[in-house]
Amino acid sequence: MAETEVAQVRFGIVGCANIARKVARAINLAPNSILHAIASRSIDKAKRFASDNGLDPRVKIYGSYDQLLDDPSVDAVYMPLPTSLHVHWAVMAAQKGKHVLIEKPTALDVGELDSILEACQSNGLQFMDGSMWLHHPRTVKMKEMLFDSQLLGDVNYIYSTSTTSASPEFFENDIRVKGNLDSLGALGDLGWYCLGAVLWAKNYQLPTVVTALPDVTTNSDGVIISCSASIQYKEPSSSGATTNAIIHCSFLADTSMELTITGSKGSLNLNDFTIPQRESSASFEFTLGAKFVDLHIGWNVKPERVVVNCDELPQEGLMVEEFTRVVAGIRTTPGVLPDPKWPEISRKTQMLVDAVKKSVDLGCKPVYF
C-alpha cells in the first residue's frame, strides 16, 4: 500500500441505502479518506451496490454488518441505516473502535443518542451526523454575515421549510414511513434540517418553548408525513428583541428547501439551503435596511445576491474531509481528543426533534425547555 494511502482514513459503509451512493462518492473524492468496505444484510445486495456504483474491485464486500465491524482495517463507519437500528449498530461500532458518521436523524430520541455518544466518548472516537449543508462554504459565509452586528442585527424571525412530493411507491415501501423502522417520518428526515437551521441561526442556543402546529398529518402507521412547529426564544437579546421561528416539513408538498432569517437591520434568504441547485457554487440573498419608497409603490433597495464557489469538493465531500481530519488527528497525534462540537450539534437538534414529537403526541401543546 502506498505511503499516502496509509495516512488515509479507511471507511466502511454499513448498509446500502440510496444515500450511501452519494457518500461513497464523497469518501473517494475527499483527499484524506478511502472506501475500504461495504456491508449489507445480503451479500447479493452488497455486490450489486458495488457494481452499480463502479466501486474499486479492492473494496471488500460483506454480507453482514458484523463482518464489517470485525474488520480491523476499518477506521470509521458511515451508517445510513433505518433510524430504529442506529443505537444498536452505532454503539457496537464504537465498542469495536470505529469512528461514527451516521445519517440523520441520529436516533429515535435523545436517550438513544446519548447511548451512542457515550459509547463514542468512552472509546475516544469522533461522532458526526450527516448534515452536509453545515460544511458548505456558503454556510460559512452566511454565518459570517449573520453574526456581524453591523449587518443583520439581532435575529427576530426564522422561517425554514424542507418538503418533497413523494410518490405512491414511496408511501408504500420507503422505510421513512414505516413505524417499526423510522417512526419519526418527515419530522426526522426533513424536519431535522429545519430545526438544525433554527439552532444554527441562534448559535445553538436552545429555545424556551416548542409547539407543534395543528396541521399534523400522519399515515395509518402513525408516522408523521407532514407537520409544522413554532420555536420561541423568549429570552430577550441585548436590544430587547425575542426570536420566533416557524418550520414546516412534509412528504406531501413540492420540493422546497427555504431558509429566511430576519433581523433588526437586514434579512437573509435562500431556497436551496440543504442541497444547492448547483454543485460547484451556491448563492443567497441579503437585504440591508429595506424600506418602502414614497407612496409605498416599491422598495428603496434590491437584495444583494452573494455567490459562493464550491470548486474543490461538494458539500458531502467537505463533510467527509472534516470528519476524517479530526479522525486522523486522533489516530496519529497523542493527546488529541474528538471534537465535541459535532456531538453537541447533533444532540441539540435531536432535542428539538423530540420536543416537536412530544408536542404532537400531546395534541399540539407547548413543550418547555
Side-chain angles (χ1 to χ4, degrees):
M1 188 176 288
E3 183 179 346
T4 55
E5 194 170 321
V6 172
Q8 290 180 313
V9 173
R10 294 162 295 193
F11 266 92
I13 295 180
V14 181
C16 295
N18 191 49
I19 187 65
R21 298 170 56 237
K22 185 175 184 177
V23 177
R25 171 178 175 259
I27 290 168
N28 287 328
L29 285 174
N32 48 357
S33 60
I34 189 169
L35 182 56
H36 175 79
I38 60 170
S40 175
R41 290 174 296 176
S42 158
I43 189 68
D44 290 337
K45 184 176 181 181
K47 288 179 177 178
R48 188 164 59 249
F49 180 91
S51 174
D52 290 348
N53 292 283
L55 299 186
D56 190 306
R58 293 175 293 180
V59 173
K60 292 187 176 181
I61 300 173
Y62 293 116
S64 78
Y65 304 152
D66 292 285
Q67 286 179 309
L68 186 147
L69 296 183
D70 286 335
D71 185 337
S73 295
V74 172
D75 302 310
V77 293
Y78 166 63
M79 289 192 168
L81 298 172
T83 308
S84 61
L85 302 181
H86 283 187
V87 65
H88 174 81
W89 290 108
V91 168
M92 185 175 292
Q95 290 171 343
K96 292 180 180 289
K98 317 299 185 188
H99 300 268
V100 177
L101 175 61
I102 200 165
E103 259 314 315
K104 48 80 198 159
T106 54
L108 293 177
D109 56 52
V110 77
E112 287 192 355
L113 176 56
D114 282 344
S115 296
I116 298 172
L117 298 182
E118 168 59 28
C120 289
Q121 183 177 11
S122 62
N123 288 284
L125 301 166
Q126 184 62 48
F127 174 92
M128 182 185 287
D129 76 58
S131 298
M132 302 171 186
W133 76 278
L134 292 174
H135 303 269
H136 198 287
R138 174 176 64 179
T139 307
V140 176
K141 180 63 176 177
M142 288 193 300
K143 194 148 197 175
E144 289 175 0
M145 298 180 72
L146 182 61
F147 293 105
D148 184 335
S149 60
Q150 300 304 309
L151 293 176
L152 196 81
D154 292 322
V155 173
N156 302 125
Y157 179 69
I158 307 162
Y159 174 73
S160 181
T161 71
S162 184
T163 65
T164 185
S165 182
S167 67
E169 182 183 4
F170 176 95
F171 287 116
E172 185 68 28
N173 300 316
D174 198 277
I175 63 170
R176 287 167 286 184
V177 293
K178 302 294 183 183
N180 62 329
L181 294 175
D182 209 333
S183 59
L184 293 173
L187 173 60
D189 184 45
L190 302 175
W192 182 275
Y193 293 124
C194 303
L195 294 167
V198 172
L199 285 167
W200 172 84
K202 291 294 292 181
N203 208 21
Y204 293 97
Q205 175 190 351
L206 288 171
T208 309
V209 59
V210 171
T211 310
L213 302 183
D215 64 342
V216 182
T217 303
T218 60
N219 66 6
S220 58
D221 248 3
V223 174
I224 295 170
I225 58 174
S226 182
C227 74
S228 305
S230 165
I231 299 95
Q232 294 178 290
Y233 289 81
K234 294 189 175 181
E235 194 71 31
S237 65
S238 57
S239 67
T242 59
T243 305
N244 293 304
I246 297 291
I247 67 104
H248 177 65
C249 55
S250 178
F251 292 142
L252 301 174
D254 193 40
T255 300
S256 73
M257 303 173 183
E258 295 183 16
L259 177 59
T260 296
I261 303 169
T262 304
S264 56
K265 298 179 180 178
S267 62
L268 180 154
N269 179 264
L270 61 161
N271 59 12
D272 60 349
F273 85 96
T274 56
I275 302 176
Q277 293 169 359
R278 295 179 59 194
E279 186 174 75
S280 60
S281 68
S283 65
F284 62 95
E285 290 187 343
F286 186 81
T287 307
L288 182 64
K291 298 184 183 300
F292 298 128
V293 298
D294 190 32
L295 300 182
H296 289 201
I297 57 174
W299 291 35
N300 66 329
V301 295
K302 291 183 178 180
E304 175 190 353
R305 184 169 178 260
V306 180
V307 178
V308 181
N309 291 325
C310 191
D311 297 325
E312 294 184 7
L313 287 172
Q315 61 180 10
E316 61 272 17
L318 293 168
M319 174 186 72
V320 171
E321 183 180 42
E322 170 62 14
F323 179 75
T324 50
R325 181 192 65 79
V326 180
V327 169
I330 295 168
R331 290 173 59 215
T332 60
T333 307
V336 171
L337 300 174
D339 187 345
K341 166 186 172 181
W342 301 109
E344 180 184 0
I345 288 173
S346 299
R347 192 175 191 278
K348 287 184 174 180
T349 309
Q350 186 75 54
M351 289 174 71
L352 260 64
V353 170
D354 288 7
V356 175
K357 180 66 164 61
K358 183 177 180 180
S359 180
V360 169
D361 293 342
L362 292 173
C364 300
K365 292 183 178 179
V367 174
Y368 292 88
F369 281 85

